[in-house]
Each structure stands twice: as structure tokens, then as C-alpha cells.
């Protein structure tokens, strides 16, 4: 089975692209969704996060306060690395478990920090969803209502656009309209089916 690693900067449109692959019947495994499952109440990762960062990152109900944790880790690179050390091995293992259950020509792994975490060994091809930094900022501002300072912290935590594009086997330019995005995904889908048939 061909494994496609879908990545891109914050606000580039990774979800819009992965949703289109899913609509075509392609299995999609999303690292962010797995992360949310892994930090649910009662999960070992949540207990480890609370031990590492203190009760301030939990809500009154004992759930993860994602906003509080986000403020902490994006302001402090050492704290971000501590969080990644707790979550990334678990996310990787969960992805591998899910891949093992699939029978499909190819699968899409959505891993926002694919390059930053050195996980390209998990995938056969890297698909980058690309957008200008100005467009990224606009989308994140509209979607998440974050301050400019927080957006800049998040952008700084990711590799730069040139590094991401240099690592790509395939690129989707997501600066245009949804019809253009649809046709770009359809073209890649056809290509990935051909590649998987060959392998």
C-alpha cells in the first residue's frame, strides 16, 4: 500500500485537501485527530501532560485545556519539545496500528509536523499543501480568532515554506478557489492509483 504524507503550514488548507481525498474513498489518518483521542480523559498521555505542565493545563472538569497548553508551548520551545516527546511516539504508534488494518491502494497520513519531527520514514511520498504566508495568516486569523503574536509563534514552530517545498514529491497550490482544489486532488488521486498499481 502506497503511503502519502500530507503536510503543510498552519492555515494552508490541509483539512480541505484531506476531506477531498476522503470523499474519493481514500483512507485518511489524521495526526491531530489521533492526538485528541490520546489526550482524552483517562488516557495515559493526559496524566503525563498534567504531571509535566501542572494543573493549569486542565479544565475544572479534568479535561485538557488545549488553549492554555497551546499558550504555554508556543511561547516556550523547551515546553513544546516536552509535549512532543509525550505525544509524538504515541501518535506514530497509533498511525502504524491503523495502517496495518487497511486494505486500500493508498492511504493519506495527515501529519502537520511531518518534516519538523523527522517522520518522512513513515511515508512513500510527501504531499505539501502550499499557500503564501499572507494567506496562511488570514485563514488562521479568521478560523481560530488568534492574536497576531500567537499566529507568529505557531508559524515560527514550523519549517519555512522553502524547506517544505524542497521536501515535496507533490504540491497542491491552495491559493485559488475550491473548484481548482477539487481538480488538483482528483489529478493526484488518479496518479496515486497508478503508482500503487505499479508497486
Amino acid at each position: 500500500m502506497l503511503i502519502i504524507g500530507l503536510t503543510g503550514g498552519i492555515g494552508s488548507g490541509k483539512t480541505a485537501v484531506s476531506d477531498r481525498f476522503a470523499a474519493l474513498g481514500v483512507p485518511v489518518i489524521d495526526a491531530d485527530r489521533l492526538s485528541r483521542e490520546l489526550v482524552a480523559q483517562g488516557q495515559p498521555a493526559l496524566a503525563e501532560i498534567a504531571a509535566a505542565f501542572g494543573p493549569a493545563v486542565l479544565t475544572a472538569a479534568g479535561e485538557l485545556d488545549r488553549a492554555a497548553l497551546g499558550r504555554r508551548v508556543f511561547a516556550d520551545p523547551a515546553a513544546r519539545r516536552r509535549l512532543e516527546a509525550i505525544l509524538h511516539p504515541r501518535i506514530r504508534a497509533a498511525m502504524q496500528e491503523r495502517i496495518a488494518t487497511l486494505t486500500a491502494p493508498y492511504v493519506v497520513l495527515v501529519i502537520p509536523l511531518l518534516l519538523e519531527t523527522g517522520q518522512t520514514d513513515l511515508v512513500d511520498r510527501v504531499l505539501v499543501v502550499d499557500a503564501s504566508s499572507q494567506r496562511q495568516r488570514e485563514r488562521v486569523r479568521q478560523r481560530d480568532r488568534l492574536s497576531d503574536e500567537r499566529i507568529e509563534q505557531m508559524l515560527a514552530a514550523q519549517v519555512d515554506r522553502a524547506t517544505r517545498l524542497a521536501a515535496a514529491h507533490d504540491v497542491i497550490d491552495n491559493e485559488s478557489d475550491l473548484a481548482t482544489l477539487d481538480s488538483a486532488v482528483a489529478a493526484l488521486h488518479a496518479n496515486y492509483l497508478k503508482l500503487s498499481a505499479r508497486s
Side-chain angles (χ1 to χ4, degrees), residues 73-87:
V73 301
F74 283 110
D76 180 354
R80 192 173 72 246
R81 285 191 294 274
R82 200 176 324 138
L83 178 65
E84 288 170 354
I86 295 167
L87 286 178

Side-chain angles (χ1 to χ4, degrees), residues 123-139:
V123 305
D124 299 307
R125 293 181 75 82
V126 174
L127 166 59
V128 168
V129 183
D130 184 51
S132 68
S133 56
Q134 180 185 342
R135 185 60 59 90
Q136 286 178 263
R137 288 179 176 91
E138 285 167 10
R139 287 175 179 155

Side-chain angles (χ1 to χ4, degrees), residues 40-182:
Q41 270 189 301
Q43 292 294 320
L46 181 61
E48 209 172 318
I49 289 167
F53 297 97
V57 298
L58 298 177
T59 66
E63 296 172 339
L64 184 66
D65 184 336
R66 298 179 74 84
L69 183 62
R71 283 192 297 274
R72 180 91 173 266
V73 301
F74 283 110
D76 180 354
R80 192 173 72 246
R81 285 191 294 274
R82 200 176 324 138
L83 178 65
E84 288 170 354
I86 295 167
L87 286 178
H88 288 170
R90 287 180 165 96
I91 294 169
R92 183 183 175 99
M95 282 192 154
Q96 289 173 314
E97 284 168 20
R98 296 205 182 179
I99 290 167
T101 68
L102 296 172
T103 50
Y106 74 96
V107 59
V108 172
L109 303 187
V110 184
I111 309 178
L113 298 176
L114 178 69
L115 302 176
E116 293 84 347
T117 56
Q119 295 196 86
T120 52
D121 63 309
L122 265 180
V123 305
D124 299 307
R125 293 181 75 82
V126 174
L127 166 59
V128 168
V129 183
D130 184 51
S132 68
S133 56
Q134 180 185 342
R135 185 60 59 90
Q136 286 178 263
R137 288 179 176 91
E138 285 167 10
R139 287 175 179 155
V140 176
R141 208 172 284 121
Q142 287 170 1
R143 182 188 72 196
D144 300 333
R145 306 275 186 252
L146 296 174
S147 68
D148 288 346
E149 181 190 11
R150 177 76 184 283
I151 292 169
E152 294 309 316
Q153 287 173 339
M154 293 172 91
L155 285 167
Q158 299 186 320
V159 298
D160 61 76
R161 188 180 182 191
T163 302
R164 198 179 292 116
L165 289 171
H169 297 93
D170 307 293
V171 177
I172 286 183
D173 180 341
N174 192 20
E175 285 282 323
S176 191
D177 55 26
L178 293 178
T180 305
L181 192 62
D182 286 336

